[in-house]
Amino acid sequence: MTAPKTRPAQSILVHEADDLRVVNGANLGDALSFADELDLDDIYELGLRSRTRRLALVMDGEGPFTIGEGSELGIPGAPVHLDARLTLMPASGNVVELLIFVETDGEGCVSATYAMPLADLSPRLGYALVGIDRAGARQRFAQAACVSFTRGTRITMATGAQVPVEDLHPGDMVLTRDDGPQPLRWIGQNTMRAVGEFAPVRISAGTLNNSDDLLVSPDHRLFIYQRDDTIGAGHREVLVRARHLVNDDSVRVETGGHVDYVQLLFDRHQIIYAEGIAAETLLLDPRTRPALPEEGHSGIASRVEHDTRTHLQFEISRALLDHPNAAELLKRASTR
């Protein structure tokens, strides 16, 4: 009998509830809590020494999630519920969203509350709670995890043609690294404020032998073949998150304004070519599945089941990229 596959933990960066406290309002002095205990118009401040820490979540089915081994916070194996999406308004007027996660004990009682910021929070700045949304929390969490190309990115088709990603349609044949020409199953599009977890990363032309600038979501994984294992990954094929290559020069975060994101879904998790760079497509898993439209859950999503181990075995940690210019190091390793 084959043992069931265990899904890998996904790490998110969160604040503990005590990091955010009410400095003015009905719950004066209280720490951030779950939706049922919150009051609109309360004003929160982030503690001066507060920092985000890693919460590892194992996601399977509709939830709840469970805390994975090696998490900086929480008790491994404990259930974690995605409770709500909060909207905070600072004096500057640019709203900030937080996702609230609640860890429970064996009796179902709340043991800890965590806040995942979707944009940067500044200490000693007042944030008024102006929105509490339970229904849309799961979708926003999914959107933050969806690897996305940006409008204008040229995708290599099965014919060799270079087509802007926004001009693609379901059924179009796209060149994949592992399976040759494959039909697109679904295309998603959304426009987001380019802040925090939604601020794209620009990889300038030539940085990774790309023909033009490539602008992708921060956690988009790029596939690189090293002619020799320069970075010590233990294998020549590596997947690297765009955010881990940021050097504020040839690879930088583009913050401000809005960004048009496009997600490409195939029957299998694929590596395709965007501006000449091998890059992954949308990986459908319990976290990203809610990003599909409702009709997709009974249609597309039910027919697509990606094996999370197919490509992710090649992903390397940020620690291996602890280099003044990791992008240049990988470029040299791939062209020697």
Side-chain angles (χ1 to χ4, degrees), residues 100-175:
I100 300 298
F101 294 84
V102 175
E103 178 184 348
T104 55
D105 59 23
E107 298 180 352
C109 298
V110 174
S111 56
T113 302
Y114 310 106
M116 175 185 174
L118 297 181
D120 293 335
L121 293 171
S122 299
R124 292 186 175 175
L125 178 65
Y127 291 89
L129 178 60
V130 296
I132 302 172
D133 174 23
R134 293 179 176 87
R138 191 71 184 263
Q139 184 179 47
R140 184 64 97 222
F141 188 45
Q143 289 172 341
C146 285
V147 297
S148 305
F149 299 98
T150 56
R151 174 177 288 272
T153 301
R154 293 175 298 175
I155 304 298
T156 302
M157 308 301 289
T159 61
Q162 305 291 305
V163 177
V165 67
E166 66 271 18
D167 292 341
L168 297 178
H169 301 89
D172 286 351
M173 299 298 289
V174 176
L175 180 63

Side-chain angles (χ1 to χ4, degrees), residues 244-257:
H244 294 168
L245 297 176
V246 170
N247 56 22
D248 295 325
D249 182 19
S250 60
V251 185
R252 60 188 184 275
V253 178
E254 299 268 319
T255 300

